[in-house]
Amino acid sequence: MALRPLASLRRSWEPGHTTVVLPLGLIAVVFVVDTLSPSHIHLGPLLVAAPALTVAFAGARLTALVGALAVATQVAIGVARGVLATANIQAQIGALLVVSALLVGFCLVRDRREQKLHQVTSVAEAAQQVLLRPLPSRSGPLEIAHLYLPAEEEAEMGGDLYAAARTSHSTRLLIADVRGKGLAAISHAALLLGAFRAAAHRQATLRNLAVHLDGAMRWDSAQWRNREEPDTEESFATAMLLDIPDEEPVVRFITCGHPPALRLGGSGVSVLPARVGQLPLGLARLAGPPEYETETFPFERGELLLLYTDGVVEARDADGAFYPLTERAAAWRRHRPEEVVRQLRENLIAHVDGHLGDDAAAVAVRRI
């Protein structure tokens, strides 16, 4: 609480607030011109513009200071012209006092609301960072980097997600895209992240892990529904689960309706296609009991896997052209993961001119 006055002072005197010379200059000009003008010319009422200008860029303390200076200047004008005791000058001083007080009150209300908004935003950011934790930069023989670009301004997390877990002999990764947007998507994303983190390190196989995640999605949407009610819930998530052994130069994965990963190496860029089509998590039982099949591809030292959500490849420019990820990735074959996601971020933002239509997430993994 004791820090608030200091914060208010800092806000009032931020280096960028050099525009304070405008109200101060106006006060000086009005004083000089008014005292030198004929008796029938009165510029004193213009002094009210000084605190009115200040409130646009400063806090309550600086506004009050400028208002007090304007009132003092009005008094000085009355003294200099010998009219301080007249009803006209006293009315101008009173009006200036009232307007300055109202402007300071407005600043206090505005600053209080901004402080509350900042507190709420800070809590929301902390909660979002707990849900979507940063991935480790190293895991066994792997270097990892990640990217998240929310479509909504000021948002930190939406329906796209990623997570990593360490087993005794491998690294497991999840990248997924939950259907929908807003709080509902964040809620389902949090559920999926929690289910993965709780089970990824102890599930014997990727298949068992996929069944567990599918069941978690279905349980969340069905737990409060009566048996007689029809199942109209459409909660699901496209996902890709990966298991990368420390000692074997391979990657094992299960794709559940998710875009295929790219493998970047000395021979170029190749797509890791899903030979077996799987339904998204939460919908697997529509085709009977879920039977996930694990696929295996080579993943040698020096190669890099690029995982991404559909928000990356479906991003459009002003002409409606999709972002050419595979073509751009060819230039990043020898880059480290941090550089790959940096290049991807810059390329993608430039392609959409800074306005994403959907959340975009990516994870780069390099075996060293």
Side-chain angles (χ1 to χ4, degrees), residues 78-155:
V79 172
R81 301 188 68 167
V83 293
L84 183 59
T86 64
N88 182 44
I89 197 71
Q90 290 178 1
Q92 292 182 32
I93 293 173
L96 189 54
L97 279 169
V98 170
V99 171
S100 297
L102 289 174
L103 291 172
V104 171
F106 169 78
C107 281
L108 291 172
V109 173
R110 181 192 62 189
D111 292 349
R112 190 174 294 112
R113 289 182 177 178
E114 288 181 354
Q115 185 180 26
K116 289 182 178 179
L117 178 61
H118 176 72
Q119 290 174 345
V120 171
T121 302
S122 298
V123 171
E125 289 178 354
Q128 290 168 341
Q129 289 173 4
V130 168
L131 290 176
L132 195 63
R133 301 172 192 167
L135 299 181
S137 59
R138 285 290 301 270
S139 177
L142 305 178
E143 291 181 333
I144 305 173
H146 58 276
L147 165 69
Y148 192 94
L149 293 174
E152 297 182 15
E153 293 185 5
E154 306 300 333

Side-chain angles (χ1 to χ4, degrees), residues 261-270 299-300 302-306 326 328-335 340 365-366:
L262 299 181
R263 182 176 56 191
L264 286 63
S267 58
V269 178
S270 59
F299 183 37
E300 305 285 347
E303 293 185 329
L304 183 142
L305 291 177
L306 183 57
T326 304
R328 300 289 175 87
W332 310 333
R333 290 181 295 128
R334 304 189 187 282
H335 291 342
V340 170
V365 185
R366 180 173 176 262

Side-chain angles (χ1 to χ4, degrees), residues 177-179 192 210-221 225 231-239 256-258 277-292:
D177 183 2
V178 175
R179 174 187 176 274
L192 199 56
V211 170
H212 173 76
L213 297 181
D214 176 75
M217 288 290 292
R218 288 186 293 100
W219 168 83
D220 184 63
S221 62
R225 190 179 68 250
D231 184 2
T232 58
E233 183 68 40
E234 296 182 355
S235 300
F236 63 85
T238 65
C256 304
H258 201 76
Q278 306 284 358
L279 289 173
L281 297 176
L283 301 179
R285 287 193 176 272
L286 293 179
E291 293 290 339
Y292 294 101

Side-chain angles (χ1 to χ4, degrees), residues 7 9-18 57:
L9 275 174
R10 286 197 297 270
R11 186 181 187 279
S12 297
W13 291 100
E14 284 180 5
H17 290 160
T18 54
F57 58 82

Side-chain angles (χ1 to χ4, degrees), residues 178-198:
V178 175
R179 174 187 176 274
K181 294 183 179 181
L183 291 177
I186 293 176
S187 175
H188 289 124
L191 170 76
L192 199 56
L193 285 168
F196 175 82
R197 290 168 182 155

